Amino acid sequence: MGADSRDEEMDEEGGVEESGSSAGASSTKRRKQVLVGLKETDVGILEYRSHHAGIAGILKQRYRDFMVNEIDVDGKIVHLTDMKCPEKKSILPFDVNEVLTEEDQERLSVLAKGQDKSAECVIEVTEDKERRTKVHQAIRHLFPKLESTTLEDGGQKTIRVKKGGGGKHGRSRWPKDKPNYCRFVLYKENMDVYEALNIIAKYLHIGPHHFQYAGSKDKRGVTVQEVTIHRVDGQRLAQLNKVLRCIRLGNFRYVHKPLNLGELSGNHFVIILRMVKASQEQIDTAMSALRDSGFINYFGMQRFGNSLIATYLVGRALLLSQWQTAVDLILKPREEDQEDEGWRRHWMETRDAQATLAMLPNHRRRSVEQQLLRGLLKSKNDYLAAFSSIPRNTRLIYVHSYQSYIWNQITSRRLKQYGMSPVVGDLASKASIEDEDSEVPVVEYVTEENIGQFTIFDVILPLPGYSVKYPLHEAAEWYTEKLAQDGLTNEMLKHPVRDLSLTGAYRKCVVKPKNVDW
């Protein structure tokens, strides 16, 4: 089946699941063989939009059973159609691996990512001037921020490399008439966006924080979305297609502004359900209900992670300024993942970031946990400072997850108590509201005079924040109660750490997807 909608409604993180579908109610019964983790009821997904009999089936038995294409702000479905570079720029006429050893490249990468402007590294070279020239070219190509100079000491030539100072090899080499951002399409298979961008960053010898994107996509699936990167040439990105696996880059162009979270109008889904246990009549009834009545616009399970240590718990700790608690929640042992027990347990017992890093299994080498441990090592276990080593989009995920958790809880209670029609005191908007990071729309209160102008598809609820309106009925008190249970107040959401400060936003309670067929 296919549909255009938001990514959060249909996100289910990994594994074989048996779904009791209710036309987008996002409620499932997990089979016993699935990894232990959160259930929908744990994050406030409690109500159904329709009341027909559900249909059972297997979702995401194969990752290709779930395909997602981002829809940009202009309503255009994003596809990877062109893997050529947008400009005809000469590339190095030799393989950089022939002139720079893997060890040299690793040392240069550390230098480029480091903050010490006085740091440098020395590369031994031969008397061959042509080869030295290639070394300089390779360094400038792989690490535009670094400067290299040939030195001679006692007849032995070496190349000294240090941070660029804005000279001819520094960032000023970026053409002044060229937009600062390269925008491209990212196609990925069976991995989350953070993992994909970490892999790309490794090849580019930069940190993953240089990338920006409009929204996260499912890990278990085939997804296509747009990404921007600051002052990295499209030619370098295009060359990576030769070495990347399960990732493709293309449709390169240069733009003046980066993508921001929420800068999309939706997502187009193609979903295959296998082993469906229902008659054709039952299937048609369920799918017609999805098409005509829509679904409750819950934040799906991807928003909260696939572990018992939910991302919203980390977000709550951050909002409470409980920095060590937040770190421990990310690094502590997981009952459902025995493979990670050793290094996680070692951290909790010793708080030794260096030793814990050495114990990380290979599949964690580009993870949030590694980034956090590196930050802890560098900051000597300054827990707040360590979080700055995590890309901003990832830091935001935690506090937004907490917002989403509260929103799901309040939405279930609102629909259960007041039903599927507008009521006096509701907030409503005729505008399209796509994401908690989009611009704040014009909202108004439902009154006895204007209630006839609205349907359930216009009713909105706020994601908690210090700068949003709340309903004029009991739901406003529910927000206060839920925050208080976690030791928070609405005023505390204006956090002294800027990235953790939540202004709040609005989200439609019920959404009708477009272009549904099956």
Side-chain angles (χ1 to χ4, degrees):
M1 63 183 180
D4 295 351
S5 185
R6 301 293 305 153
D7 56 359
E8 292 90 355
E9 301 94 37
M10 297 188 179
D11 287 339
E12 297 293 346
E13 184 62 37
V16 177
E17 299 175 355
E18 183 174 352
S19 173
S21 171
S22 183
S26 297
S27 181
T28 63
K29 296 178 181 179
R30 295 178 180 270
R31 290 187 169 188
K32 291 182 180 179
Q33 65 264 36
V34 181
L35 287 177
V36 175
L38 291 173
K39 300 184 295 294
E40 282 79 358
T41 53
D42 296 330
V43 294
I45 300 175
L46 304 172
E47 301 298 315
Y48 290 91
R49 171 65 171 130
S50 305
H51 299 288
H52 56 78
I55 58 175
I58 298 177
L59 176 67
K60 297 185 180 178
Q61 184 178 42
R62 307 170 186 174
Y63 72 82
R64 290 184 179 276
D65 289 350
F66 199 86
M67 305 181 71
V68 186
N69 288 73
E70 193 169 81
I71 304 175
D72 66 20
V73 291
D74 297 320
K76 183 180 178 181
I77 299 176
V78 175
H79 292 283
L80 179 64
T81 58
D82 182 5
M83 293 170 62
K84 296 178 182 177
C85 184
E87 60 182 338
K88 295 181 179 179
K89 181 179 177 180
S90 62
I91 61 176
L92 294 179
F94 56 86
D95 185 349
V96 294
N97 295 315
E98 295 177 357
V99 297
L100 286 176
T101 66
E102 185 176 344
E103 181 183 355
D104 286 337
Q105 291 185 46
E106 178 62 27
R107 289 195 298 138
L108 291 168
S109 178
V110 171
L111 178 64
K113 294 177 183 178
Q115 301 298 317
D116 185 358
K117 295 183 179 180
S118 64
E120 61 179 47
C121 69
V122 176
I123 298 174
E124 295 185 1
V125 290
T126 66
E127 292 293 323
D128 187 341
K129 183 177 181 179
E130 182 179 351
R131 186 171 182 83
R132 292 201 305 273
T133 299
K134 288 182 178 180
V135 172
H136 287 294
Q137 291 174 338
I139 293 171
R140 290 198 297 268
H141 179 75
L142 292 176
F143 308 98
K145 295 182 181 180
L146 301 182
E147 289 183 355
S148 59
T149 308
T150 299
L151 302 176
E152 184 171 357
D153 184 11
Q156 175 64 46
K157 286 185 169 61
T158 58
I159 291 180
R160 183 181 67 184
V161 188
K162 61 180 183 179
K163 287 275 192 178
K168 65 178 182 178
H169 299 322
R171 294 186 66 77
S172 62
R173 294 194 301 125
W174 188 264
K176 293 183 179 180
D177 59 346
K178 187 175 184 178
N180 279 329
Y181 295 89
C182 181
R183 184 162 174 165
F184 63 95
V185 171
L186 166 66
Y187 167 100
K188 63 180 179 66
E189 299 178 357
N190 206 28
M191 68 178 71
D192 60 38
V193 66
Y194 183 81
E195 180 183 0
L197 295 180
N198 261 284
I199 293 171
I200 298 169
K202 177 186 176 184
Y203 281 107
L204 293 175
H205 305 286
I206 60 174
H209 61 276
H210 286 84
F211 296 96
Q212 307 85 30
Y213 50 89
S216 59
K217 301 290 181 283
D218 289 67
K219 176 179 179 178
R220 187 166 176 81
V222 176
T223 71
V224 182
Q225 66 187 107
E226 288 197 296
V227 177
T228 54
I229 185 170
H230 186 247
R231 288 190 175 183
V232 171
D233 196 271
Q235 182 66 54
R236 293 182 66 195
L237 294 166
Q239 286 181 315
L240 297 184
N241 287 316
K242 299 175 183 178
V243 295
L244 293 173
R245 297 183 61 187
C246 300
I247 301 173
R248 292 291 180 268
L249 314 176
N251 297 82
F252 305 101
R253 57 194 174 100
Y254 294 99
V255 297
H256 291 284
K257 295 181 179 180
L259 279 169
N260 293 308
L261 288 173
E263 286 187 347
L264 73 167
S265 60
N267 291 275
H268 178 267
F269 296 83
V270 177
I271 303 170
I272 296 175
L273 297 179
R274 299 184 183 273
M275 302 292 290
V276 176
K277 298 176 182 178
S279 67
Q280 187 63 49
E281 181 180 0
Q282 289 173 316
I283 293 171
D284 290 342
T285 298
M287 293 305 301
S288 296
L290 172 63
R291 179 193 63 200
D292 301 333
S293 300
F295 51 85
I296 301 174
N297 196 23
Y298 287 124
F299 289 95
M301 299 306 292
Q302 182 193 29
R303 194 72 165 191
F304 308 103
N306 62 346
S307 167
L308 285 172
I309 312 298
T311 51
Y312 77 84
L313 295 175
V314 180
R316 181 178 65 187
L318 292 174
L319 291 170
L320 290 167
S321 300
Q322 296 173 348
W323 313 121
Q324 183 172 340
T325 298
V327 169
D328 285 346
L329 284 168
I330 295 173
L331 297 179
K332 71 185 296 186
R334 269 82 166 132
E335 293 179 7
E336 71 273 18
D337 195 348
Q338 297 299 318
E339 184 180 357
D340 283 350
E341 283 295 294
W343 66 269
R344 289 184 183 277
R345 187 166 55 249
H346 185 77
W347 164 257
M348 294 300 293
E349 292 172 354
T350 67
R351 297 299 195 277
D352 186 334
Q354 186 169 10
T356 306
L357 270 170
M359 296 174 66
L360 277 183
N362 288 335
H363 72 279
R364 292 287 182 184
R365 291 294 176 181
R366 292 185 292 271
S367 64
V368 172
E369 289 90 344
Q370 186 209 41
Q371 296 275 343
L372 189 55
L373 285 166
R374 286 187 179 276
L376 288 164
L377 180 61
K378 182 178 179 181
S379 66
K380 298 181 180 179
N381 283 11
D382 181 329
Y383 295 99
L384 173 57
F387 266 94
S388 66
S389 63
I390 300 176
R392 181 176 182 270
N393 278 0
T394 305
R395 298 197 300 269
L396 291 176
I397 283 173
Y398 296 117
V399 289
H400 287 175
S401 178
Y402 180 75
Q403 282 184 305
S404 304
Y405 167 75
I406 298 294
W407 191 92
N408 278 1
Q409 302 276 350
I410 301 299
T411 297
S412 288
R413 193 169 176 181
R414 154 63 181 84
L415 296 176
K416 182 177 182 179
Q417 180 155 327
Y418 294 114
M420 290 290 175
S421 298
V423 298
V424 173
D426 273 335
L427 287 165
S429 176
K430 290 289 185 180
S432 175
I433 301 172
E434 301 300 345
D435 195 89
E436 69 273 25
D437 296 288
S438 59
E439 293 184 4
V440 177
V442 176
V443 300
E444 56 185 307
Y445 287 108
V446 176
T447 65
E448 292 183 358
E449 290 72 27
N450 67 13
I451 192 169
Q453 302 173 18
F454 301 109
T455 71
I456 191 61
F457 299 112
D458 302 315
V459 175
I460 60 179
L461 281 170
L463 284 89
Y466 63 84
S467 186
V468 289
K469 298 177 181 178
Y470 287 92
L472 294 177
H473 47 55
E474 284 185 86
E477 299 174 9
W478 303 340
Y479 281 94
T480 302
E481 292 170 6
K482 294 299 294 184
L483 290 172
Q485 289 172 8
D486 291 328
L488 291 164
T489 65
N490 205 63
E491 292 72 26
M492 291 171 67
L493 301 182
K494 192 169 186 177
H495 202 280
V497 177
R498 184 176 179 182
D499 279 353
L500 305 181
S501 194
L502 299 175
T503 58
Y506 301 98
R507 185 175 174 90
K508 298 277 181 131
C509 292
V510 179
V511 170
K512 184 185 293 185
K514 302 175 182 177
N515 306 323
V516 178
D517 57 58
W518 63 94

